[in-house]
Amino acid sequence: MKLFKLTLMLILPSIIIGQNNDCGDRPIKPKRIENQTIKNFKKSASFINYKKNLKEWKHCMSPLEMSERDSKRLAEQQKEKLENKQNEPINKCGDRPNKPKRPKGTSIDEFRQTPTHIEYRKNLKIWKQCMSPKELTKPIFSKNPQNTEVIESPCGKKPIKPSRKEGMNHEEYKQSSEYKSYRKQLKKWEGCEEGFRNDLLWGDCGKKPTKPPRSEGVNHEEYKQSPEFQAYRQIMKTWKQCIDANKN
């Protein structure tokens, strides 16, 4: 037991010093030159400098000084934490609604019929719709609190597929006028949606240049050397540069 205490007393100072890297290591006492008197040694520049450094080190290692440094460090960490919190992205949908607790003695079915649970399910449904990517044309999170407006698609709602009449097989259904009309509307709607999404992505760069068709009888090399294709290549190059610039 005594040996353990002695060992602890010997290693404790080194542990304390090692945990306070701000103060550095304890200054090393310079060695006295041979035939140099103690009086002359204490008056030497190396010893005076050592005493000065030792005094500063002891002051740094004092509990009061360490406490002040810790307080300053904690204050800086708190300030940094507050700044990071202010810069956090804003979720316009808010937090997920908290599920109410079921009272003791109430069954699940009875609890689901209570106004509290009905209101919770209603709020949860609204929150899920808000968080759903299908309902958004912009990211949910935005670091700009003023730019929270959602751009609505001008294409309208997706066309509804007509139901197949009873007794009608699949081929007859696909040949029906209702289905053909639906397919036509769906194709138009999908093209509109794709153009709308591309406009949001491409911004001021405009629509993607359209590749000119190859004339009948013109081979691939002749087509690539044609003025129409060369003009298209140049426009496409400029358009891609604009897109890349907007990405950065």
Side-chain angles (χ1 to χ4, degrees):
M1 189 68 181
K2 289 182 179 179
L3 182 62
F4 174 74
K5 288 182 179 180
L6 182 62
T7 307
L8 188 63
M9 288 174 65
L10 290 172
I11 66 171
L12 189 61
S14 61
I15 294 172
I16 295 171
I17 293 169
Q19 289 177 343
N20 292 277
N21 296 326
D22 294 339
C23 302
D25 296 331
R26 181 188 176 101
I28 300 171
K29 186 178 180 179
K31 292 183 179 181
R32 183 158 55 100
I33 303 171
E34 193 176 353
N35 298 327
Q36 187 181 25
T37 63
I38 296 174
K39 187 177 181 181
N40 291 336
F41 172 62
K42 287 188 175 182
K43 289 182 179 180
S44 63
S46 58
F47 186 82
I48 292 169
N49 191 41
Y50 157 73
K51 291 291 287 184
K52 180 184 176 183
N53 293 337
L54 181 63
K55 185 178 180 181
E56 291 175 355
W57 182 83
K58 285 183 176 180
H59 177 70
C60 179
M61 290 294 293
S62 66
L64 180 62
E65 187 69 20
M66 289 168 63
S67 177
E68 288 178 358
R69 284 200 307 274
D70 291 340
S71 299
K72 187 177 179 182
R73 189 183 296 109
L74 287 172
E76 289 176 354
Q77 289 176 355
Q78 188 69 17
K79 184 180 177 183
E80 186 179 355
K81 189 177 180 181
L82 288 171
E83 289 176 354
N84 292 336
K85 193 172 183 180
Q86 289 175 355
N87 294 328
E88 282 182 357
I90 298 168
N91 180 7
K92 71 180 186 66
C93 300
D95 297 330
R96 183 188 178 102
N98 294 323
K99 188 176 181 180
K101 291 184 178 180
R102 179 161 56 99
K104 289 184 178 180
T106 306
S107 66
I108 295 174
D109 291 333
E110 290 174 345
F111 179 55
R112 287 178 63 84
Q113 299 302 321
T114 59
T116 305
H117 199 277
I118 292 170
E119 183 68 20
Y120 158 72
R121 293 203 308 272
K122 181 182 176 182
N123 294 335
L124 182 64
K125 186 177 181 181
I126 294 170
W127 181 83
K128 284 184 176 180
Q129 286 177 347
C130 179
M131 293 292 289
S132 173
K134 294 180 181 179
E135 298 294 326
L136 299 170
T137 54
K138 281 193 171 183
I140 296 170
F141 297 101
S142 174
K143 288 192 175 181
N144 184 4
Q146 297 177 351
N147 190 18
T148 56
E149 185 181 356
V150 177
I151 301 174
E152 294 184 1
S153 171
C155 305
K157 293 184 178 180
K158 184 177 180 179
I160 300 171
K161 189 176 181 180
S163 56
R164 186 166 58 175
K165 295 178 182 179
E166 192 175 351
M168 183 183 289
N169 61 35
H170 186 64
E171 289 300 322
E172 290 174 342
Y173 170 65
K174 288 181 73 175
Q175 296 301 322
S176 64
S177 58
E178 294 86 354
Y179 183 80
K180 287 181 178 180
S181 177
Y182 156 73
R183 290 291 300 174
K184 186 177 179 181
Q185 292 174 11
L186 180 64
K187 187 176 181 180
K188 184 179 179 182
W189 180 84
E190 287 176 344
C192 178
E193 280 290 310
E194 185 180 1
F196 173 65
R197 286 194 299 269
N198 290 339
D199 288 343
L200 288 177
L201 291 172
W202 297 335
D204 297 334
C205 300
K207 293 184 178 180
K208 185 177 180 179
T210 306
K211 191 175 182 180
R214 185 167 60 173
S215 303
E216 192 175 350
V218 178
N219 62 34
H220 186 64
E221 290 300 323
E222 291 174 342
Y223 170 66
K224 288 179 71 176
Q225 298 300 324
S226 64
E228 295 85 358
F229 186 81
Q230 292 296 325
Y232 158 74
R233 285 284 300 273
Q234 187 62 38
I235 296 169
M236 175 63 82
K237 185 178 179 181
T238 306
W239 183 82
K240 283 184 176 179
Q241 288 174 349
C242 178
I243 294 294
D244 292 337
N246 287 337
K247 286 180 181 178
N248 299 330

